Amino acid sequence: MKFNEAEEAKIDELYDWFRQNPKLPKEIDRILLKRFYICMHGDINGIKKLIQINYSLRNKNAHIFLERDPTDADSKQTFDYADLVPLPGLTSEGYKVSCYRLIDFDPAKVNHTADTKAFFMVSDCRFNMYDGGSESSENVETFANGEVQIFDMNGYTLKHLSKMTFSTLRVYMTFLQEALPVHLKAIHIINCPSYLDKVVSIMKPFISREVYKLIIFHTSSLESLYEHVPRSILPEEYGGTGGKLAELKAQLLMELSRKREYLMDPNNWRVGGEKENSQRRHWPFKS
């Protein structure tokens, strides 16, 4: 999607509103702001409401959204035992696909709050980039039409589930359903365990009826997954041709390191502090 001149002017107006609003941080990345615009189909009042919900939830849960570092020990442990990887390209419907799985099955490695923090750092890193690739590749304004998530349950046990904290799960599900500047289109659960009913019973109270309808359980093989996600996007580990997960993850970790300052800068996320005099100024393009 290429924003026209009128839409760019609306983004400028939203940016000015954002910087004048004492209930919002000092800065917002322009690409991220465009995601809010697209998500709400250009409805200015809806955009402002979603932005306020997003940053309100962030600041009410600073231990997850503000007090973070993609290179610290907790983050390293999460990325050492789990893959949280956006896959390259888009589906034919224009959806962005992300894959989540364990690579170390030791339940002792699980730190639910740190893992949730890492999940949202990956999302925030991605949301200030175009969906066609990194900012350093083709500078094309490509935004996905929606998000598809694949959760691989291979290696998950009841001991892993026992490490969940309900307060963190509530924050995760609330933000996912109410505050993300994207549309969730499908959640695919693959390699479903025999105790799937227990997983569902834990998660269901936190999931809205609308989101629950988006969950697809693949209980036999990956053939049913291929009906929804093309092999050209899926990594080799899942019978696809989209590259190896280890290589995709290495690229992600490099991007997280490169955007460390952006992710940790309180001016981008923390509400409070004196706002500058609100005169229009050039955009702070951050990477």
Side-chain angles (χ1 to χ4, degrees):
M1 173 183 178
K2 178 72 174 177
F3 276 60
N4 60 37
E5 186 175 343
E7 290 168 328
E8 292 286 359
K10 289 182 180 178
I11 296 297
D12 288 338
E13 291 172 5
L14 282 168
Y15 178 63
D16 287 343
W17 164 82
F18 187 100
R19 294 196 69 247
Q20 293 172 23
N21 195 320
K23 296 182 179 180
L24 293 173
K26 292 181 179 180
E27 297 291 350
I28 183 171
D29 178 81
R30 190 176 184 90
I31 295 176
L32 176 57
L33 186 53
K34 286 183 175 182
R35 288 189 182 277
F36 283 105
Y37 183 94
I38 293 170
C39 182
M40 300 308 295
H41 308 290
D43 174 8
I44 299 301
N45 289 333
I47 295 165
K48 291 178 178 180
K49 182 177 179 181
L50 180 59
I51 287 173
Q52 290 171 323
I53 291 172
N54 183 291
Y55 288 96
S56 175
L57 285 173
R58 287 181 187 275
N59 281 264
K60 287 177 181 176
N61 301 280
H63 64 296
I64 291 176
F65 294 102
L66 304 181
E67 299 158 8
R68 60 187 188 175
D69 181 345
T71 63
D72 67 11
D74 284 344
S75 297
K76 184 178 186 304
Q77 177 165 304
T78 294
F79 293 124
D80 281 348
Y81 94 90
D83 287 338
L84 314 168
V85 182
L87 303 181
L90 302 173
T91 69
S92 58
E93 301 91 348
Y95 301 157
K96 187 70 175 178
V97 182
S98 297
C99 183
Y100 310 101
R101 68 166 188 169
L102 294 178
I103 51 178
D104 183 335
F105 298 161
D106 181 4
K109 301 288 180 66
V110 176
N111 180 332
H112 192 205
T113 299
D115 299 343
T116 302
K117 185 183 300 190
F119 174 91
F120 286 119
M121 279 193 282
V122 171
S123 297
D124 287 336
C125 177
R126 233 203 76 213
F127 289 163
N128 92 324
M129 300 164 56
Y130 297 124
D131 289 322
S134 68
E135 296 164 308
S136 59
S137 63
E138 294 185 30
N139 188 25
V140 178
E141 290 193 10
T142 304
F143 292 97
N145 295 327
E147 300 286 312
V148 172
Q149 298 179 344
I150 300 173
F151 288 93
D152 185 350
M153 297 294 291
N154 184 41
Y156 277 93
T157 67
L158 292 175
K159 286 186 177 180
H160 288 88
L161 286 178
S162 70
K163 304 278 283 191
M164 278 189 170
T165 58
F166 287 113
S167 59
T168 297
L169 180 59
R170 184 178 292 106
V171 171
Y172 170 81
M173 292 307 305
T174 301
F175 198 89
L176 191 72
Q177 295 173 110
E178 299 181 12
L180 280 186
V182 293
H183 290 288
L184 192 58
K185 295 296 185 178
I187 300 172
H188 297 278
I189 311 295
I190 62 175
N191 293 317
C192 298
S194 58
Y195 56 88
L196 180 61
D197 58 329
K198 291 183 173 63
V199 178
V200 174
S201 66
I202 291 173
M203 300 291 291
K204 197 168 183 179
F206 300 96
I207 303 175
S208 69
R209 182 177 303 178
E210 293 77 11
V211 170
Y212 189 77
K213 291 178 181 178
L214 301 177
I215 302 176
I216 303 171
F217 298 99
H218 302 272
T219 55
S220 55
S221 71
L222 293 181
E223 291 300 321
S224 55
L225 177 65
Y226 303 147
E227 298 173 10
H228 302 272
V229 182
R231 290 177 186 255
S232 59
I233 287 178
L234 288 170
E236 295 177 13
E237 291 85 347
Y238 297 104
T241 59
K244 296 181 182 296
L245 269 174
E247 295 173 357
L248 297 174
K249 182 177 182 177
Q251 295 172 16
L252 170 67
L253 293 178
M254 288 180 60
E255 198 64 39
L256 283 167
S257 179
R258 192 170 77 88
K259 293 185 184 295
R260 179 174 181 265
E261 182 178 350
Y262 167 74
L263 292 169
M264 295 178 65
D265 187 348
N267 288 334
N268 296 321
W269 314 107
R270 189 178 294 279
V271 171
E274 190 174 334
K275 294 260 185 174
E276 294 178 19
N277 217 344
S278 90
Q279 292 182 346
R280 187 178 299 252
R281 65 174 199 168
H282 295 297
W283 275 87
F285 289 100
K286 296 180 180 179
S287 60

